[in-house]
């Protein structure tokens, strides 16, 4: 064991209620990290913002690092999906137009929550 804290979620929700709780935790974490910064974005603040007990938060995530990893993973997956959708469309006639379109896709993906991306 390396002594490093785990970065994977502890459990995957099996019911809709659990998935909604997990979504509330992630949404709250994004807001807390954006408002207070990562260092001051404690699990207590995240739980309070999500309106869940700290014990409920820890059922899903072992620490705030794991929450951030989940947020980043989801952001990357959304970007991959946006690129996949772009690739399914008719390609522009020139390389310049194709590059502009790809940059547009990337920028659109980053407009959702620029404050969180700074974290």
């Amino acid at each position: 064991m390396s002594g490093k804290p785990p970065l994977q979620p502890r459990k995957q929700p099996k019911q809709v209620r659990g998935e909604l709780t997990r979504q509330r935790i992630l949404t709250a974490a994004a807001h807390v990290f954006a408002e207070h910064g990562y260092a001051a974005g404690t699990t207590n603040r995240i739980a309070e913002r999500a309106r869940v007990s700290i014990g409920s938060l820890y059922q899903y995530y072992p620490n705030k690092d794991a929450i951030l990893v989940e947020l980043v993973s989801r952001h990357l997956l959304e970007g991959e999906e946006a690129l996949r959708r772009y690739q399914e469309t008719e390609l522009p006639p020139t390389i310049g137009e194709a590059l502009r379109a790809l940059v547009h896709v990337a920028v659109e993906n980053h407009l959702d929550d620029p404050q969180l991306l700074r974290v």
Side-chain angles (χ1 to χ4, degrees):
M1 182 114 192
S2 68
K4 292 182 181 179
L7 296 178
Q8 298 298 317
R10 288 197 166 160
K11 72 175 188 176
Q12 297 296 320
K14 293 180 180 19
Q15 298 179 356
V16 172
R17 184 182 68 212
E19 181 56 34
L20 291 174
T21 298
R22 198 168 88 137
Q23 290 298 329
R24 283 199 349 245
I25 291 168
L26 291 171
T27 300
H31 288 283
V32 167
F33 292 153
E35 289 174 19
H36 301 281
Y38 184 72
T42 64
T43 52
N44 284 324
R45 279 189 169 147
I46 294 167
E48 182 180 325
R49 178 78 179 246
R51 296 183 318 275
V52 300
S53 71
I54 192 69
S56 292
L57 182 146
Y58 283 128
Q59 278 186 323
Y60 294 100
Y61 298 99
N63 51 47
K64 71 178 183 177
D65 295 337
I67 297 171
L68 182 61
V69 166
E70 178 84 9
L71 288 169
V72 170
S73 295
R74 287 178 178 218
H75 173 74
L76 292 174
L77 286 173
E78 288 169 5
E80 288 175 6
E81 182 58 34
L83 282 174
R84 221 175 276 112
R85 284 190 307 271
Y86 169 73
Q87 290 172 337
E88 292 171 356
T89 64
E90 186 176 326
L91 293 176
T94 68
I95 189 80
E97 290 176 15
L99 286 174
R100 275 191 287 286
L102 284 172
V103 168
H104 178 73
V105 168
V107 168
E108 286 291 317
N109 186 46
H110 287 80
L111 288 177
D112 287 339
D113 201 342
Q115 290 179 325
L116 178 61
L117 292 176
R118 280 194 282 274
V119 173

